[in-house]
């Protein structure tokens, strides 16, 4: 027994090292697995407040660009209003607006959508990014809206130019967003010209390029084709811009294209986003969970 | 003694703020991720108890992790650095050994000693950090390139910090 204590005393530094690294390993596994983190993130109270204060200073440096971008959006909205595309219903509240589906996507893309054909209601919650990463393998944004403003996990997030990501974790007034630039990210997207759909993934290498998987080789795809969201998941309405095809490849022996696409959202520039709240989400999820139980 | 604690606590705060508010924002060519916070561990006095070094490193790493959304990555790399720094000191020991009142800062140990000590420490820290982040050996070459370039930039910043903060004689 005495020898054991002597042994422990002699090498205690090593045991402290091993013990702390085991704690680190547990933390890494516990907190970095997809959608299992709940706290200790930048949605946390302490860090979010510091980042918010920092953001309020750094915002001044990009005011000109932000103003230009916002006025462009306003112009597109006005154009939409006066062109009168179908029966568009919209209600403004303090800091969000209710828009019939079909209205919102066309704002960003400058095309018209027949709103009469769809009945789903989406609420768009404007939010500002207070922290972000773009160059890691798993990139997140932190936004200044949280549960008090109606932002909850699993809601889609879009920017002025297209898809941004999906809300990951929320606190009272902040939320983190798992961006398209995340190795675990999967978003349902389709080729606009022929409606073949696949899933959008990112390989962790280039912040401007992503891949569309599961498009069979008998479908013709050429560089320049437009890729939009499919609307088959409840994260995003259909027809939100994702990107354009950059390069089409086929691996030997594979029945699927490897489609490389240029993302329409430039993550390092984006500062304002819209969280998409699908009003009938709970109803749709409840209905779909019945299918699984049967 | 109180003075030692004060100096180290101030350094802790200053370097932590530089890391979180400035360096975390720097994005250059996908390769350069400069870190200055390991200097807090590297400059702890020689006579600091080993357990205290590692516990401090753990919480320092965890703080950096909370701001970077990478829980555990920096904590693991920092504890590793705190553990290995004694070994680097042994490798790098001056001819007559260390004097009891010396501190591992450039102003006392000299430029050559300091750059070898910091260079090796940062390289080993970044090696662990970037491989944990990649969590595979799938992209070994690009990870190694990141480690190499980031180490150079981090060491440069740390030496610069030491030049700026040389105490007045």
């Amino acid at each position: 027994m005495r020898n054991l204590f002597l042994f422990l005393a002699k090498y205690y530094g090593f045991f402290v090292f091993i013990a702390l690294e085991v704690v680190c390993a547990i933390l890494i596994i516990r907190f970095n697995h997809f959608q299992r983190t709940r706290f200790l993130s930048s949605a946390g109270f302490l860090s979010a407040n510091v980042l918010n204060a920092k953001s309020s200073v750094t915002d001044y440096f990009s005011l000109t660009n932000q103003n230009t971008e916002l006025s462009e959006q306003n112009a597109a909205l006005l154009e939409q209003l006066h062109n009168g595309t179908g029966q568009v219903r919209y209600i403004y509240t303090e800091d969000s607006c209710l828009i019939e589906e079909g209205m919102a996507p066309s704002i960003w893309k400058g095309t018209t959508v027949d709103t009469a054909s769809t009945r789903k209601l989406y609420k768009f919650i404007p939010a500002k990014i207070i922290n972000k990463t773009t160059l890691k393998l798993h990139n997140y944004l932190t936004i200044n809206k949280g549960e008090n403003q109606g932002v909850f996990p699993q809601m889609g997030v879009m920017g002025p130019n297209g898809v941004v990501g999906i809300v990951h974790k929320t606190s009272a007034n902040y939320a983190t967003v798992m961006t398209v630039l995340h190795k675990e990210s999967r978003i349902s997207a389709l080729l606009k010209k022929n409606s073949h759909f696949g899933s959008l993934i990112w390989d962790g290498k280039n912040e401007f390029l992503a891949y569309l998987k599961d498009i069979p080789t008998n479908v013709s795809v050429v560089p320049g084709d437009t890729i939009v969201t499919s609307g088959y998941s409840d994260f995003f309405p259909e027809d939100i811009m994702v990107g354009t095809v950059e390069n089409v490849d086929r691996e030997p022996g594979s029945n699927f294209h490897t489609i490389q696409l240029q993302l329409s959202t430039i993550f390092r520039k984006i500062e304002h986003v819209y969280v998409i709240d699908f009003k009938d989400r709970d109803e749709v999820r409840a209905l779909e969970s019945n299918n699984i139980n049967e | 003694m109180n003075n030692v604690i004060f100096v180290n606590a101030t350094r802790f705060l200053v370097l932590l703020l530089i890391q979180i508010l400035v360096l975390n924002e720097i994005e250059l060519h996908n390769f350069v991720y400069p870190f200055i916070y390991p200097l807090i561990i590297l400059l702890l006095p020689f006579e600091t108890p080993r357990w205290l070094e590692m516990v401090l490193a753990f919480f320092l790493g965890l703080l950096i992790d909370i701001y970077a959304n990478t829980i555990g990555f920096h904590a693991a790399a920092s504890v590793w650095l705190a553990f290995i720094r004694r070994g680097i000191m042994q490798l790098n020991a001056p001819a007559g050994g260390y004097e009891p009142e010396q501190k591992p800062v450039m102003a006392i140990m000299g430029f050559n000693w300091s750059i070898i000590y910091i260079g090796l420490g940062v390289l080993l820290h970044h090696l662990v950090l970037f491989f944990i982040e990649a969590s595979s050996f799938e992209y070994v070459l690009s990870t190694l390139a990141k480690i190499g370039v980031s180490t150079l930039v981090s060491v440069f910043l740390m030496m610069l910090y030491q030049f700026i903060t040389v105490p007045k004689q």
Side-chain angles (χ1 to χ4, degrees):
Chain A
M1 204 59 187
R2 190 171 160 274
N3 284 341
L4 179 67
F5 283 127
L6 283 177
F7 175 77
L8 288 178
K10 191 174 176 191
Y11 296 106
Y12 89 95
F14 182 71
F15 290 115
V16 172
F17 169 66
I18 295 293
L20 285 173
E21 290 292 8
V22 168
V23 173
C24 291
I26 292 168
L27 286 176
I28 291 171
I29 294 160
R30 171 76 179 76
F31 286 103
N32 292 286
H33 191 262
F34 176 50
Q35 285 174 349
R36 281 175 59 186
T37 36
R38 280 295 174 265
F39 51 94
L40 277 180
S41 73
S42 63
F45 173 78
L46 173 82
S47 52
N49 280 324
V50 174
L51 293 170
N52 210 7
K54 182 186 79 177
S55 176
S56 67
V57 174
T58 51
D59 272 356
Y60 284 101
F61 299 115
S62 57
L63 273 182
T64 319
N65 285 337
Q66 294 297 312
N67 282 340
T68 318
E69 204 172 297
L70 287 172
S71 59
E72 277 168 8
Q73 280 182 37
N74 279 339
L77 273 168
L78 282 171
E79 198 177 320
Q80 188 74 35
L81 189 63
H82 291 297
N83 286 343
T85 54
Q87 297 297 310
V88 177
R89 195 155 56 89
Y90 46 94
I91 306 156
Y92 287 98
T93 60
E94 196 173 328
D95 63 353
S96 64
C97 51
L98 289 171
I99 309 174
E100 284 272 2
E101 188 204 28
M103 170 84 181
S106 54
I107 296 166
W108 321 115
K109 288 166 13 59
T111 57
T112 56
V113 174
D114 178 16
T115 51
S117 66
T118 51
R119 300 256 29 99
K120 286 187 277 185
L121 259 180
Y122 289 93
K123 182 180 175 189
F124 291 81
I125 305 163
K128 203 164 73 58
I129 296 170
I130 60 168
N131 190 29
K132 67 179 158 190
T133 62
T134 58
L135 294 174
K136 302 194 170 149
L137 291 178
H138 308 94
N139 293 295
Y140 293 91
L141 308 172
T142 308
I143 57 174
N144 68 347
K145 292 286 163 72
E147 285 159 18
N148 290 350
Q149 291 80 30
V151 175
F152 291 96
Q154 303 285 305
M155 288 181 174
V157 179
M158 64 189 287
N161 297 318
V163 167
V164 168
I166 292 163
V167 175
H168 183 207
K169 286 162 283 171
T170 55
S171 62
N173 293 303
Y174 298 94
T176 56
V177 177
M178 186 177 86
T179 64
V180 174
L181 306 183
H182 190 297
K183 283 188 84 179
E184 313 273 1
S185 161
R186 301 280 183 278
I187 288 170
S188 179
L190 54 75
L191 283 163
K192 192 174 171 58
K193 67 174 180 183
N194 53 25
S195 297
H196 273 278
F197 74 99
S199 54
L200 182 74
I201 60 161
W202 187 61
D203 66 349
K205 286 182 180 162
N206 187 318
E207 59 179 304
F208 305 110
L209 300 175
Y211 291 87
L212 187 63
K213 288 281 160 95
D214 306 336
I215 301 287
T217 44
N218 61 342
V219 177
S220 111
V221 186
V222 293
D225 283 354
T226 305
I227 291 169
V228 295
T229 53
S230 66
Y232 296 151
S233 64
D234 48 22
F235 300 129
F236 297 104
E238 64 198 52
D239 233 15
I240 292 180
M241 187 71 179
V242 172
T244 51
V245 175
E246 176 87 4
N247 199 355
V248 185
D249 226 351
R250 180 185 170 177
E251 283 178 22
S254 167
N255 290 327
F256 297 98
H257 287 300
T258 304
I259 300 173
Q260 191 181 44
L261 58 120
Q262 180 97 35
L263 292 167
S264 58
T265 300
I266 297 180
F267 285 89
R268 66 168 59 192
K269 283 192 179 162
I270 188 169
E271 303 222 0
H272 288 91
V273 292
Y274 299 84
V275 180
I276 302 165
D277 181 8
F278 172 36
K279 305 301 282 180
D280 296 337
R281 178 193 323 273
D282 292 342
E283 189 180 331
V284 171
R285 291 231 171 124
L287 186 64
E288 286 175 348
S289 69
N290 286 339
N291 296 349
I292 297 164
N293 293 338
E294 275 167 11
Chain B
M1 192 58 199
N2 284 334
N3 188 33
V4 172
I5 292 172
F6 176 75
V7 165
N8 281 278
T10 315
R11 185 189 294 134
F12 189 100
L13 213 61
V14 169
L15 290 179
L16 190 68
L17 286 176
I18 295 179
Q19 181 68 50
I20 293 167
L21 298 181
V22 184
L23 295 186
N24 280 358
E25 296 295 308
I26 291 181
E27 299 174 342
L28 290 171
H29 302 304
N30 244 338
F31 276 116
V32 186
Y33 299 80
F35 294 107
I36 200 164
Y37 78 88
L39 194 61
I40 298 170
I41 302 162
L42 287 167
L43 295 191
L44 287 173
F46 288 130
E47 64 274 16
T48 318
R50 296 199 69 180
W51 66 269
L52 181 62
E53 283 177 357
M54 286 187 266
V55 171
L56 274 177
F58 176 77
F59 286 106
L60 169 64
L62 207 57
L63 270 173
I64 302 285
D65 279 329
I66 290 171
Y67 285 93
N69 268 335
T70 55
I71 303 303
F73 294 11
H74 289 281
S78 299
V79 171
W80 160 248
L81 174 64
F83 176 70
I84 206 74
R85 92 176 179 123
R86 300 282 157 163
I88 301 169
M89 283 174 187
Q90 295 294 323
L91 278 179
N92 198 18
Y98 294 101
E99 308 282 337
E101 72 278 10
Q102 284 181 327
K103 297 188 192 71
V105 297
M106 193 189 68
I108 293 170
M109 300 304 299
F111 180 82
N112 287 341
W113 184 90
S114 215
I115 201 159
I116 293 172
Y117 172 62
I118 288 178
L120 272 175
V122 171
L123 182 66
L124 290 168
H125 171 272
H126 284 19
L127 208 65
V128 168
L129 178 67
F130 284 97
F131 274 109
I132 291 176
E133 200 199 8
S135 62
S136 73
F137 291 98
E138 201 181 338
Y139 309 113
V140 174
L141 283 181
S142 77
T143 307
L144 285 176
K146 275 184 205 173
I147 292 168
V149 180
S150 300
T151 301
L152 288 179
V153 178
S154 298
V155 170
F156 172 78
L157 289 173
M158 290 179 189
M159 294 309 282
L160 193 67
Y161 175 85
Q162 294 211 68
F163 271 111
I164 293 168
T165 57
V166 167
K168 290 182 185 73
Q169 296 300 322

